[in-house]
Every structure is written in structure tokens, then in C-alpha cells.
Amino acid sequence: MSVGLRVRVLRPFTFSALKRFSITDRIRRRATWIGLAALLLFWVWIGWPYFHAIVVRDAAVTTWLNLATAPIAGDLTFATPDPGSTIGPDGRLAEIVNPRADRTTLERARGELAAAEARLAQRREARSTREALVARYAAAFKQQLDVELAHATSTLRYVNERLAAERTDASRFSALRKAGSASTADAEAATARVAFLEGERVTTEGSLARTSLRRESADRGLYLLDDGSTSSWDAHLDLLRAQQELVAAEAECATARRVAEAARETFERQHTARLVAPAGAQLWHRYTAPGATVNAGDPVVAWIDPTVLLVDVPLSDVEAALLHPGARAHVVIEGSRGVRSGVVLFTRGSTSTLGARELAAVAKGRRAGIGQAIVQLEAGPEDRTHSPIGRAAYVDFPDVGIFSIIRARLRW
């Protein structure tokens, strides 16, 4: 009876203990699975952008987009017709002609230039006339001096001849007076005539010297009068005034020519404008149809340089913070098996990413809350003929892996 009683007493205790142990174990196992699931979800949440980029290839090969706007209003004509066309050596993209450009300022400037040129021609003719008149005056002045020189020379020769004769007579009268054959008065008269002719000779020699000096000065352009003062011809003064007026007219004409040239350049800028790009660039977008009328500031075309290859890489802000300019990048372009090497130009956070205004193609993984890295690739010869711009790509940064991202997120 005691054994049976013990069995009846222990059986309820054993079943209840086992039941409590089973419930605790199930709770522990459930908590473990819940923890593992939470940890797995956390890892998936942290690493999903990384794995998504591998599977989807959400990056895009791109380049800088250059927008050409209309500098003036007018009618549009395209020199490079179709998007995707290569721009020629002259670099012309399009031309805008404004048939309503105002020509008033240009015509007024041209009229003022024509009047200034006419006044300049008159001043030149006046100076030429004055120069001819002064030349005639100078020739007459020199001729007069030549006549005076010839007269003074002849007079001096005549005086010298008379002086020689008078000296001979004076010597003869002096000898006769000493011999008593002539009077003293005759001898003194002969001596007086010699003295007078000596004075005439000195006077004539002085006049001849002054006239010779005046003639030499006239050859040098200095016209002296008999008293040594300078001549004051009216024609000479008129020539000086004509030269001054000519200088003023030349300055006025030069100013009018510069004004007319500036007016022409201004009119040409208002009438015709050309949109240009570097030779070999590619027309990417055309925002206006050919022949359309555009206003100043309207976008006309966008062009790209196919030799500059970039990759727009969407990534988390954490990964963007771990990258730095010059970091290595491995790029796989959609449709290509090879891995290309690139370098990071710069990174941007999710609040300041570049978009379609700056880039020719935007990554398809671009969305709110996603940062950005711009990677530069070296363009090869094949890229120039078959540009990969706009194709999807996958980018791996060997210096930043998934574990680096997780540690940065957890601040380990």
C-alpha cells in the first residue's frame, strides 16, 4: 500500500515538471530562432544595397552634359542635324538669325564714319595745297637769294677791279708828286678814292656773307630775312594750321572707325549667333525643332565629349563616406565581359546628388536616400566609335567591402 501510494503521489509531480520543462525549452528555442531571424533581417537590411547592385547593375556609364542655350532670339538652323551626330572640325552646332535686329545704331555709326572720312580727305587736300604754296614761296625765296648772291658777287668783283685800278693811280700820283710833276691835291684825291673803294669792298663782302648764310639756312628750311629775323609767311602759318587740323581729323576718323566697328560687332551679335562645341564632340539632345523661333536663354542642344567616360554609382551614405577621391573601382559594363579599372572622382551624400542636368545618363538605381559616387574611366579607341554612355554597369570598390560597411554602420 505504501508503494502504490508513492506512485500515485509522484505521478502528478513528474508530469507537471516535464510539462514545465517542455514549455521553457520551446520558449528558448523560439527566442533563439527569433533572434537569428532578426539578425538575418538586419544583415539583409544592411547588405541589401550591396547585393542589389551586384544583381541589378544599377550604375550607369555617363559623362558630363553640356547645355547650349540661345544667346539671342531668332530663327534656328541646325548645322549638326541629328542626335548622336559627331560635330565637325568647325565645331558648329546651330545658328540663330534674328531678322528683326535693330540696325539704327550701326547705320548712324557708319554715317558718322563717312562724314569723318570726308573731313579727313578735305584736310589732306588742304594740307597738300598749303604745302604746294609754301614750296612755291620757298623756291621764290631761294631764287631771290640766288639773285642777291649773284649781284653781290658781281659787285665785289667790280669793286675789286676798280680798287686795283685806283691803287695803281694812287701809286702813280704819289710818285709824280714826289717828282714834282703832280699836285698834292691829285695825290690825295687818288688816295681818298682807294679808301672809299676799300669800304665798298668790305660792305659788299659782308652783304655777300650774309646772303650766303641765308641761302644755306633756306636749304635747311629756315628762311631768314636780311636783318636776321625769321620770315612770317601767311602760307607758312596756314600750313601749320592745316597740319593741326589734319591731325585732329585723323583722330576723329580713327574714333569714328572704332565706334562703327563696335556697332557692327554689336549688330552681328544681335543678328546672328552660332552655338559651337569642341570638334569631335557628340550631339546628345535637341530641345528645339529645326526652323523654330527661340527666345534668348532657351535651351537648344546638349552635347557631350565621348572621350570623357564616367560612371554614376548609387550607393548608401555609409559607403559614400568610406570612399575617397582616387579610390580604386572595378567596373563591369552591361554587355561586356571584361572588368575595367577606374578611380573615384568624388562622392556625394543622398541630399546633394547630381542628376540629369549635369550628367548625360543617370543610374537606374537612383532614388531618394541614396548617395552617389562618380567614377572616371579611361576611354579607349572603341569607346569613341561605339560609346557605352547610357549602358548599365556594376561597380565594385575593392577597398570597401560589405563587412566594412556593416562595421561602419554599427560603429565598430
Side-chain angles (χ1 to χ4, degrees):
M1 178 176 182
S2 61
V3 176
L5 180 61
R6 285 197 299 270
V7 173
R8 286 195 300 266
V9 172
L10 291 175
R11 183 177 296 173
F13 172 79
T14 303
F15 288 154
S16 61
L18 288 175
K19 185 176 181 181
R20 286 196 303 271
F21 178 77
S22 177
I23 293 173
T24 303
D25 186 55
R26 284 198 301 270
I27 292 174
R28 187 181 296 112
R29 285 199 303 269
R30 186 173 300 173
T32 302
W33 283 110
I34 291 175
L36 291 175
L39 181 61
L40 180 61
L41 289 175
F42 178 76
W43 275 67
V44 170
W45 175 65
I46 292 295
W48 176 249
Y50 183 80
F51 294 109
H52 180 268
I54 297 175
V55 176
V56 179
R57 297 190 176 183
D58 56 352
V61 181
T62 185
T63 189
W64 301 119
L65 186 67
N66 301 278
L67 180 64
T69 59
I72 62 173
D75 301 331
L76 180 65
T77 302
F78 281 97
T80 304
D82 302 320
S85 301
T86 301
I87 299 171
D90 58 354
R92 292 182 60 188
L93 288 170
E95 184 177 80
I96 302 172
V97 177
N98 183 11
R100 294 170 294 277
D102 186 11
R103 299 179 62 92
T104 303
T105 303
L106 175 60
E107 296 301 332
R108 183 181 296 112
R110 286 179 174 175
E112 293 176 354
L113 175 59
E117 289 177 344
R119 287 191 293 271
L120 177 60
Q122 292 177 353
R123 298 294 184 270
R124 286 174 176 171
E125 184 178 359
R127 187 191 65 174
S128 299
T129 303
R130 301 298 191 280
E131 285 179 345
L133 183 60
V134 167
R136 289 196 295 270
Y137 271 104
F141 188 86
K142 292 177 182 179
Q143 289 177 358
Q144 182 180 3
L145 291 179
D146 290 338
V147 171
E148 292 179 2
L149 282 174
H151 179 266
T153 302
S154 299
T155 302
L156 181 61
R157 184 171 57 251
Y158 172 72
V159 169
N160 287 332
E161 290 175 355
R162 284 191 59 193
L163 181 61
E166 292 296 336
R167 282 176 179 172
T168 301
D169 290 344
S171 298
R172 189 179 70 248
F173 278 115
S174 178
L176 291 175
R177 185 181 62 79
K178 288 178 180 180
S181 301
S183 64
T184 303
D186 292 337
E188 291 177 351
T191 302
R193 287 193 298 271
V194 170
F196 175 76
L197 291 175
E198 286 284 353
E200 287 289 328
R201 182 180 64 83
V202 171
T203 301
T204 304
E205 287 178 349
S207 176
L208 180 61
R210 288 193 301 272
T211 305
S212 298
L213 178 61
R214 292 170 61 197
R215 184 63 177 82
E216 293 175 359
S217 299
D219 289 336
R220 295 192 298 269
L222 182 60
Y223 303 98
L224 301 176
L225 299 179
D226 189 46
D227 59 356
S229 62
T230 58
S231 62
S232 57
W233 302 337
D234 292 339
H236 193 266
L237 296 178
D238 290 343
L239 177 60
L240 294 178
R241 284 193 294 268
Q243 289 176 344
Q244 293 174 355
E245 292 173 354
L246 178 60
V247 171
E250 288 176 345
E252 180 186 7
C253 188
T255 301
R257 188 174 293 111
R258 288 193 295 269
V259 171
E261 180 64 20
R264 183 190 62 81
E265 293 177 356
T266 301
F267 172 76
E268 289 182 352
R269 286 195 297 268
Q270 295 174 353
H271 181 265
T272 304
R274 292 180 177 87
L275 304 181
V276 297
Q282 190 177 86
L283 184 65
W284 193 246
H285 287 303
R286 192 170 61 190
Y287 298 100
T288 306
T293 300
V294 295
N295 295 318
D298 288 349
V300 178
V301 292
W303 58 271
I304 63 171
D305 186 354
T307 62
V308 178
L309 287 185
L310 307 175
V311 182
D312 176 23
V313 186
L315 40 75
S316 64
D317 285 339
V318 176
E319 190 174 2
L322 294 175
L323 292 172
H324 57 83
R328 297 177 301 158
H330 295 162
V331 181
V332 178
I333 300 176
E334 192 71 57
S336 175
R337 296 182 179 179
V339 178
R340 305 179 64 161
S341 298
V343 294
V344 175
L345 284 183
F346 59 86
T347 60
R348 288 203 170 189
S350 59
T351 60
S352 61
T353 57
L354 301 179
R357 290 186 177 181
E358 297 87 5
L359 300 176
V362 179
K364 61 184 179 181
R366 177 76 48 228
R367 63 182 186 274
I370 295 297
Q372 183 180 52
I374 300 297
V375 176
Q376 184 175 23
L377 299 178
E378 184 177 354
E382 185 178 355
D383 297 329
R384 300 173 187 269
T385 56
H386 299 85
S387 177
I389 295 175
R391 290 159 60 182
Y394 162 69
V395 181
D396 176 49
F397 301 102
D399 298 332
V400 179
I402 182 64
F403 294 104
S404 300
I405 298 173
I406 293 175
R407 285 198 301 269
R409 182 61 65 88
L410 298 178
R411 295 182 175 85
W412 285 357

